[in-house]
mmCIF file of all heavy atoms in Angstrom:
data_model
loop_
_atom_site.group_PDB
_atom_site.id
_atom_site.type_symbol
_atom_site.label_atom_id
_atom_site.label_comp_id
_atom_site.label_asym_id
_atom_site.label_seq_id
_atom_site.Cartn_x
_atom_site.Cartn_y
_atom_site.Cartn_z
ATOM 1 N N SER A 1 -21.404 149.320 85.214
ATOM 2 C CA SER A 1 -22.713 148.911 85.724
ATOM 3 C C SER A 1 -23.585 150.111 86.108
ATOM 4 O O SER A 1 -24.801 150.107 85.892
ATOM 5 C CB SER A 1 -22.546 147.985 86.931
ATOM 6 O OG SER A 1 -21.800 148.629 87.956
ATOM 7 N N GLY A 2 -22.964 151.136 86.703
ATOM 8 C CA GLY A 2 -23.728 152.314 87.097
ATOM 9 C C GLY A 2 -24.332 153.020 85.905
ATOM 10 O O GLY A 2 -25.490 153.470 85.943
ATOM 11 N N LEU A 3 -23.569 153.112 84.827
ATOM 12 C CA LEU A 3 -24.065 153.753 83.611
ATOM 13 C C LEU A 3 -25.164 152.909 82.979
ATOM 14 O O LEU A 3 -26.145 153.443 82.456
ATOM 15 C CB LEU A 3 -22.920 153.951 82.617
ATOM 16 C CG LEU A 3 -23.282 154.625 81.290
ATOM 17 C CD1 LEU A 3 -23.906 155.992 81.528
ATOM 18 C CD2 LEU A 3 -22.041 154.742 80.400
ATOM 19 N N ALA A 4 -25.001 151.575 83.047
ATOM 20 C CA ALA A 4 -26.024 150.682 82.493
ATOM 21 C C ALA A 4 -27.361 150.882 83.206
ATOM 22 O O ALA A 4 -28.427 150.874 82.577
ATOM 23 C CB ALA A 4 -25.569 149.229 82.610
ATOM 24 N N LEU A 5 -27.301 151.065 84.529
ATOM 25 C CA LEU A 5 -28.525 151.306 85.294
ATOM 26 C C LEU A 5 -29.146 152.648 84.904
ATOM 27 O O LEU A 5 -30.375 152.757 84.767
ATOM 28 C CB LEU A 5 -28.209 151.288 86.792
ATOM 29 C CG LEU A 5 -29.389 151.532 87.737
ATOM 30 C CD1 LEU A 5 -30.454 150.463 87.564
ATOM 31 C CD2 LEU A 5 -28.912 151.573 89.191
ATOM 32 N N ALA A 6 -28.305 153.658 84.713
ATOM 33 C CA ALA A 6 -28.799 154.971 84.300
ATOM 34 C C ALA A 6 -29.437 154.895 82.915
ATOM 35 O O ALA A 6 -30.454 155.546 82.655
ATOM 36 C CB ALA A 6 -27.652 155.982 84.299
ATOM 37 N N VAL A 7 -28.853 154.088 82.028
ATOM 38 C CA VAL A 7 -29.410 153.915 80.684
ATOM 39 C C VAL A 7 -30.788 153.258 80.768
ATOM 40 O O VAL A 7 -31.723 153.657 80.062
ATOM 41 C CB VAL A 7 -28.461 153.076 79.804
ATOM 42 C CG1 VAL A 7 -29.153 152.674 78.504
ATOM 43 C CG2 VAL A 7 -27.196 153.859 79.493
ATOM 44 N N SER A 8 -30.926 152.263 81.636
ATOM 45 C CA SER A 8 -32.221 151.599 81.810
ATOM 46 C C SER A 8 -33.272 152.585 82.303
ATOM 47 O O SER A 8 -34.406 152.599 81.813
ATOM 48 C CB SER A 8 -32.087 150.434 82.804
ATOM 49 O OG SER A 8 -31.261 149.407 82.278
ATOM 50 N N ALA A 9 -32.897 153.413 83.260
ATOM 51 C CA ALA A 9 -33.823 154.436 83.764
ATOM 52 C C ALA A 9 -34.172 155.429 82.656
ATOM 53 O O ALA A 9 -35.328 155.860 82.528
ATOM 54 C CB ALA A 9 -33.205 155.164 84.953
ATOM 55 N N GLY A 10 -33.169 155.774 81.845
ATOM 56 C CA GLY A 10 -33.409 156.681 80.731
ATOM 57 C C GLY A 10 -34.368 156.088 79.713
ATOM 58 O O GLY A 10 -35.228 156.797 79.176
ATOM 59 N N PHE A 11 -34.241 154.794 79.464
ATOM 60 C CA PHE A 11 -35.125 154.134 78.506
ATOM 61 C C PHE A 11 -36.560 154.053 79.034
ATOM 62 O O PHE A 11 -37.509 154.054 78.249
ATOM 63 C CB PHE A 11 -34.612 152.732 78.160
ATOM 64 C CG PHE A 11 -33.766 152.702 76.920
ATOM 65 C CD1 PHE A 11 -32.397 152.468 77.006
ATOM 66 C CD2 PHE A 11 -34.328 152.910 75.671
ATOM 67 C CE1 PHE A 11 -31.611 152.450 75.866
ATOM 68 C CE2 PHE A 11 -33.559 152.886 74.523
ATOM 69 C CZ PHE A 11 -32.182 152.656 74.618
ATOM 70 N N VAL A 12 -36.717 153.959 80.341
ATOM 71 C CA VAL A 12 -38.065 153.968 80.920
ATOM 72 C C VAL A 12 -38.742 155.303 80.620
ATOM 73 O O VAL A 12 -39.899 155.342 80.172
ATOM 74 C CB VAL A 12 -38.012 153.723 82.442
ATOM 75 C CG1 VAL A 12 -39.376 154.008 83.083
ATOM 76 C CG2 VAL A 12 -37.588 152.293 82.743
ATOM 77 N N LEU A 13 -38.023 156.401 80.854
ATOM 78 C CA LEU A 13 -38.572 157.732 80.565
ATOM 79 C C LEU A 13 -38.786 157.925 79.069
ATOM 80 O O LEU A 13 -39.814 158.458 78.637
ATOM 81 C CB LEU A 13 -37.627 158.813 81.109
ATOM 82 C CG LEU A 13 -37.448 158.852 82.634
ATOM 83 C CD1 LEU A 13 -36.401 159.902 83.010
ATOM 84 C CD2 LEU A 13 -38.765 159.154 83.320
ATOM 85 N N PHE A 14 -37.807 157.488 78.277
ATOM 86 C CA PHE A 14 -37.890 157.642 76.826
ATOM 87 C C PHE A 14 -39.072 156.858 76.261
ATOM 88 O O PHE A 14 -39.840 157.379 75.435
ATOM 89 C CB PHE A 14 -36.587 157.157 76.188
ATOM 90 C CG PHE A 14 -36.585 157.215 74.684
ATOM 91 C CD1 PHE A 14 -36.347 158.401 74.024
ATOM 92 C CD2 PHE A 14 -36.827 156.072 73.940
ATOM 93 C CE1 PHE A 14 -36.343 158.468 72.633
ATOM 94 C CE2 PHE A 14 -36.832 156.116 72.551
ATOM 95 C CZ PHE A 14 -36.582 157.320 71.891
ATOM 96 N N SER A 15 -39.234 155.617 76.694
ATOM 97 C CA SER A 15 -40.324 154.780 76.204
ATOM 98 C C SER A 15 -41.679 155.342 76.612
ATOM 99 O O SER A 15 -42.639 155.290 75.843
ATOM 100 C CB SER A 15 -40.167 153.351 76.737
ATOM 101 O OG SER A 15 -38.950 152.773 76.294
ATOM 102 N N SER A 16 -41.761 155.875 77.812
ATOM 103 C CA SER A 16 -43.012 156.488 78.273
ATOM 104 C C SER A 16 -43.369 157.689 77.416
ATOM 105 O O SER A 16 -44.527 157.874 77.015
ATOM 106 C CB SER A 16 -42.882 156.909 79.744
ATOM 107 O OG SER A 16 -42.626 155.788 80.570
ATOM 108 N N ALA A 17 -42.372 158.507 77.113
ATOM 109 C CA ALA A 17 -42.599 159.666 76.256
ATOM 110 C C ALA A 17 -42.993 159.234 74.848
ATOM 111 O O ALA A 17 -43.834 159.862 74.198
ATOM 112 C CB ALA A 17 -41.344 160.543 76.208
ATOM 113 N N MET A 18 -42.402 158.135 74.372
ATOM 114 C CA MET A 18 -42.723 157.622 73.039
ATOM 115 C C MET A 18 -44.174 157.159 72.961
ATOM 116 O O MET A 18 -44.842 157.343 71.936
ATOM 117 C CB MET A 18 -41.795 156.470 72.674
ATOM 118 C CG MET A 18 -40.460 156.908 72.087
ATOM 119 S SD MET A 18 -40.621 157.781 70.507
ATOM 120 C CE MET A 18 -41.339 156.505 69.470
ATOM 121 N N ILE A 19 -44.670 156.547 74.029
ATOM 122 C CA ILE A 19 -46.069 156.096 74.047
ATOM 123 C C ILE A 19 -47.004 157.301 73.935
ATOM 124 O O ILE A 19 -47.980 157.285 73.176
ATOM 125 C CB ILE A 19 -46.358 155.299 75.332
ATOM 126 C CG1 ILE A 19 -45.597 153.964 75.308
ATOM 127 C CG2 ILE A 19 -47.864 155.042 75.485
ATOM 128 C CD1 ILE A 19 -45.642 153.199 76.612
ATOM 129 N N LEU A 20 -46.692 158.356 74.689
ATOM 130 C CA LEU A 20 -47.485 159.584 74.592
ATOM 131 C C LEU A 20 -47.428 160.156 73.178
ATOM 132 O O LEU A 20 -48.457 160.521 72.595
ATOM 133 C CB LEU A 20 -46.960 160.620 75.587
ATOM 134 C CG LEU A 20 -47.169 160.344 77.080
ATOM 135 C CD1 LEU A 20 -46.414 161.376 77.912
ATOM 136 C CD2 LEU A 20 -48.648 160.343 77.438
ATOM 137 N N PHE A 21 -46.236 160.227 72.630
ATOM 138 C CA PHE A 21 -46.035 160.824 71.314
ATOM 139 C C PHE A 21 -46.722 160.006 70.221
ATOM 140 O O PHE A 21 -47.443 160.561 69.379
ATOM 141 C CB PHE A 21 -44.537 160.942 71.023
ATOM 142 C CG PHE A 21 -44.223 161.464 69.654
ATOM 143 C CD1 PHE A 21 -44.328 162.813 69.374
ATOM 144 C CD2 PHE A 21 -43.812 160.608 68.639
ATOM 145 C CE1 PHE A 21 -44.042 163.309 68.103
ATOM 146 C CE2 PHE A 21 -43.526 161.087 67.372
ATOM 147 C CZ PHE A 21 -43.632 162.443 67.102
ATOM 148 N N GLU A 22 -46.498 158.696 70.209
ATOM 149 C CA GLU A 22 -47.053 157.837 69.156
ATOM 150 C C GLU A 22 -48.582 157.834 69.187
ATOM 151 O O GLU A 22 -49.232 157.919 68.142
ATOM 152 C CB GLU A 22 -46.530 156.407 69.311
ATOM 153 C CG GLU A 22 -45.051 156.230 69.009
ATOM 154 C CD GLU A 22 -44.745 156.302 67.527
ATOM 155 O OE1 GLU A 22 -45.698 156.260 66.721
ATOM 156 O OE2 GLU A 22 -43.566 156.410 67.169
ATOM 157 N N THR A 23 -49.148 157.712 70.379
ATOM 158 C CA THR A 23 -50.613 157.711 70.495
ATOM 159 C C THR A 23 -51.188 159.052 70.053
ATOM 160 O O THR A 23 -52.212 159.110 69.363
ATOM 161 C CB THR A 23 -51.037 157.409 71.944
ATOM 162 O OG1 THR A 23 -50.403 156.203 72.390
ATOM 163 C CG2 THR A 23 -52.542 157.227 72.035
ATOM 164 N N SER A 24 -50.514 160.136 70.442
ATOM 165 C CA SER A 24 -50.945 161.466 70.027
ATOM 166 C C SER A 24 -50.873 161.619 68.511
ATOM 167 O O SER A 24 -51.766 162.206 67.894
ATOM 168 C CB SER A 24 -50.068 162.532 70.703
ATOM 169 O OG SER A 24 -50.353 163.816 70.215
ATOM 170 N N GLN A 25 -49.829 161.090 67.902
ATOM 171 C CA GLN A 25 -49.683 161.163 66.452
ATOM 172 C C GLN A 25 -50.840 160.466 65.737
ATOM 173 O O GLN A 25 -51.320 160.929 64.707
ATOM 174 C CB GLN A 25 -48.363 160.520 66.025
ATOM 175 C CG GLN A 25 -47.138 161.354 66.329
ATOM 176 C CD GLN A 25 -47.049 162.592 65.458
ATOM 177 O OE1 GLN A 25 -47.485 163.683 65.843
ATOM 178 N NE2 GLN A 25 -46.493 162.458 64.273
ATOM 179 N N ILE A 26 -51.281 159.362 66.300
ATOM 180 C CA ILE A 26 -52.374 158.615 65.681
ATOM 181 C C ILE A 26 -53.679 159.407 65.732
ATOM 182 O O ILE A 26 -54.349 159.590 64.723
ATOM 183 C CB ILE A 26 -52.560 157.247 66.377
ATOM 184 C CG1 ILE A 26 -51.320 156.364 66.170
ATOM 185 C CG2 ILE A 26 -53.801 156.533 65.834
ATOM 186 C CD1 ILE A 26 -51.340 155.090 66.993
ATOM 187 N N ILE A 27 -54.041 159.881 66.918
ATOM 188 C CA ILE A 27 -55.357 160.514 67.051
ATOM 189 C C ILE A 27 -55.401 161.922 66.461
ATOM 190 O O ILE A 27 -56.477 162.437 66.174
ATOM 191 C CB ILE A 27 -55.824 160.549 68.528
ATOM 192 C CG1 ILE A 27 -54.950 161.474 69.367
ATOM 193 C CG2 ILE A 27 -55.857 159.157 69.117
ATOM 194 C CD1 ILE A 27 -55.481 161.675 70.773
ATOM 195 N N HIS A 28 -54.222 162.536 66.255
ATOM 196 C CA HIS A 28 -54.201 163.875 65.663
ATOM 197 C C HIS A 28 -53.818 163.852 64.187
ATOM 198 O O HIS A 28 -53.591 164.907 63.589
ATOM 199 C CB HIS A 28 -53.240 164.785 66.435
ATOM 200 C CG HIS A 28 -53.737 165.162 67.795
ATOM 201 N ND1 HIS A 28 -54.767 166.061 67.998
ATOM 202 C CD2 HIS A 28 -53.377 164.741 69.036
ATOM 203 C CE1 HIS A 28 -55.003 166.188 69.286
ATOM 204 N NE2 HIS A 28 -54.177 165.397 69.943
ATOM 205 N N GLY A 29 -53.745 162.656 63.607
ATOM 206 C CA GLY A 29 -53.527 162.557 62.168
ATOM 207 C C GLY A 29 -52.090 162.595 61.719
ATOM 208 O O GLY A 29 -51.824 162.612 60.518
ATOM 209 N N GLY A 30 -51.139 162.615 62.655
ATOM 210 C CA GLY A 30 -49.737 162.633 62.262
ATOM 211 C C GLY A 30 -49.242 161.294 61.763
ATOM 212 O O GLY A 30 -48.225 161.215 61.069
ATOM 213 N N GLU A 31 -49.941 160.222 62.117
ATOM 214 C CA GLU A 31 -49.587 158.872 61.671
ATOM 215 C C GLU A 31 -50.829 158.205 61.104
ATOM 216 O O GLU A 31 -51.794 157.967 61.812
ATOM 217 C CB GLU A 31 -49.012 158.044 62.831
ATOM 218 C CG GLU A 31 -48.602 156.641 62.448
ATOM 219 C CD GLU A 31 -47.542 156.626 61.358
ATOM 220 O OE1 GLU A 31 -46.367 156.817 61.689
ATOM 221 O OE2 GLU A 31 -47.923 156.439 60.178
ATOM 222 N N ARG A 32 -50.795 157.915 59.810
ATOM 223 C CA ARG A 32 -51.936 157.304 59.149
ATOM 224 C C ARG A 32 -51.676 155.853 58.746
ATOM 225 O O ARG A 32 -52.531 155.201 58.168
ATOM 226 C CB ARG A 32 -52.328 158.119 57.902
ATOM 227 C CG ARG A 32 -53.130 159.372 58.226
ATOM 228 C CD ARG A 32 -54.533 158.975 58.663
ATOM 229 N NE ARG A 32 -55.352 160.134 59.034
ATOM 230 C CZ ARG A 32 -55.610 160.470 60.267
ATOM 231 N NH1 ARG A 32 -55.098 159.765 61.271
ATOM 232 N NH2 ARG A 32 -56.385 161.497 60.532
ATOM 233 N N ASN A 33 -50.480 155.355 59.029
ATOM 234 C CA ASN A 33 -50.136 153.981 58.680
ATOM 235 C C ASN A 33 -50.117 153.137 59.948
ATOM 236 O O ASN A 33 -49.258 153.326 60.814
ATOM 237 C CB ASN A 33 -48.772 153.934 57.983
ATOM 238 C CG ASN A 33 -48.448 152.564 57.420
ATOM 239 O OD1 ASN A 33 -48.255 151.616 58.162
ATOM 240 N ND2 ASN A 33 -48.403 152.467 56.100
ATOM 241 N N TYR A 34 -51.065 152.214 60.074
ATOM 242 C CA TYR A 34 -51.171 151.462 61.328
ATOM 243 C C TYR A 34 -50.032 150.475 61.533
ATOM 244 O O TYR A 34 -49.743 150.074 62.666
ATOM 245 C CB TYR A 34 -52.527 150.757 61.412
ATOM 246 C CG TYR A 34 -52.723 149.583 60.500
ATOM 247 C CD1 TYR A 34 -52.494 148.288 60.952
ATOM 248 C CD2 TYR A 34 -53.144 149.749 59.179
ATOM 249 C CE1 TYR A 34 -52.686 147.191 60.123
ATOM 250 C CE2 TYR A 34 -53.333 148.675 58.348
ATOM 251 C CZ TYR A 34 -53.098 147.395 58.821
ATOM 252 O OH TYR A 34 -53.273 146.315 57.990
ATOM 253 N N ILE A 35 -49.358 150.092 60.449
ATOM 254 C CA ILE A 35 -48.207 149.188 60.596
ATOM 255 C C ILE A 35 -47.055 149.926 61.272
ATOM 256 O O ILE A 35 -46.425 149.405 62.206
ATOM 257 C CB ILE A 35 -47.781 148.628 59.224
ATOM 258 C CG1 ILE A 35 -48.866 147.696 58.675
ATOM 259 C CG2 ILE A 35 -46.446 147.886 59.339
ATOM 260 C CD1 ILE A 35 -48.570 147.129 57.302
ATOM 261 N N LEU A 36 -46.779 151.147 60.819
ATOM 262 C CA LEU A 36 -45.726 151.942 61.448
ATOM 263 C C LEU A 36 -46.110 152.355 62.866
ATOM 264 O O LEU A 36 -45.251 152.417 63.756
ATOM 265 C CB LEU A 36 -45.427 153.184 60.612
ATOM 266 C CG LEU A 36 -44.761 152.957 59.251
ATOM 267 C CD1 LEU A 36 -44.426 154.279 58.592
ATOM 268 C CD2 LEU A 36 -43.508 152.094 59.391
ATOM 269 N N ALA A 37 -47.402 152.630 63.078
ATOM 270 C CA ALA A 37 -47.864 152.975 64.425
ATOM 271 C C ALA A 37 -47.658 151.797 65.373
ATOM 272 O O ALA A 37 -47.229 151.965 66.522
ATOM 273 C CB ALA A 37 -49.334 153.372 64.389
ATOM 274 N N THR A 38 -47.940 150.602 64.886
ATOM 275 C CA THR A 38 -47.729 149.394 65.685
ATOM 276 C C THR A 38 -46.254 149.207 65.999
ATOM 277 O O THR A 38 -45.884 148.865 67.128
ATOM 278 C CB THR A 38 -48.258 148.160 64.938
ATOM 279 O OG1 THR A 38 -49.655 148.305 64.702
ATOM 280 C CG2 THR A 38 -48.021 146.891 65.750
#
């Protein structure tokens, strides 16, 4: 259970970083396919 909680916390940080990365990829031209961006 303790590890499961740590994994959940890790996914919060990971998902937050992914939002920054994905949005940045779109506006800087790294992602041109809106289906994959979605």
Side-chain angles (χ1 to χ4, degrees):
S1 58
L3 180 57
L5 180 61
V7 169
S8 294
F11 265 110
V12 169
L13 296 176
F14 177 80
S15 299
S16 299
M18 276 296 297
I19 292 171
L20 291 172
F21 176 78
E22 291 286 348
T23 307
S24 173
Q25 286 290 95
I26 295 171
I27 67 173
H28 289 287
E31 181 59 81
R32 281 288 178 257
N33 188 293
Y34 72 96
I35 293 178
L36 291 185
T38 299

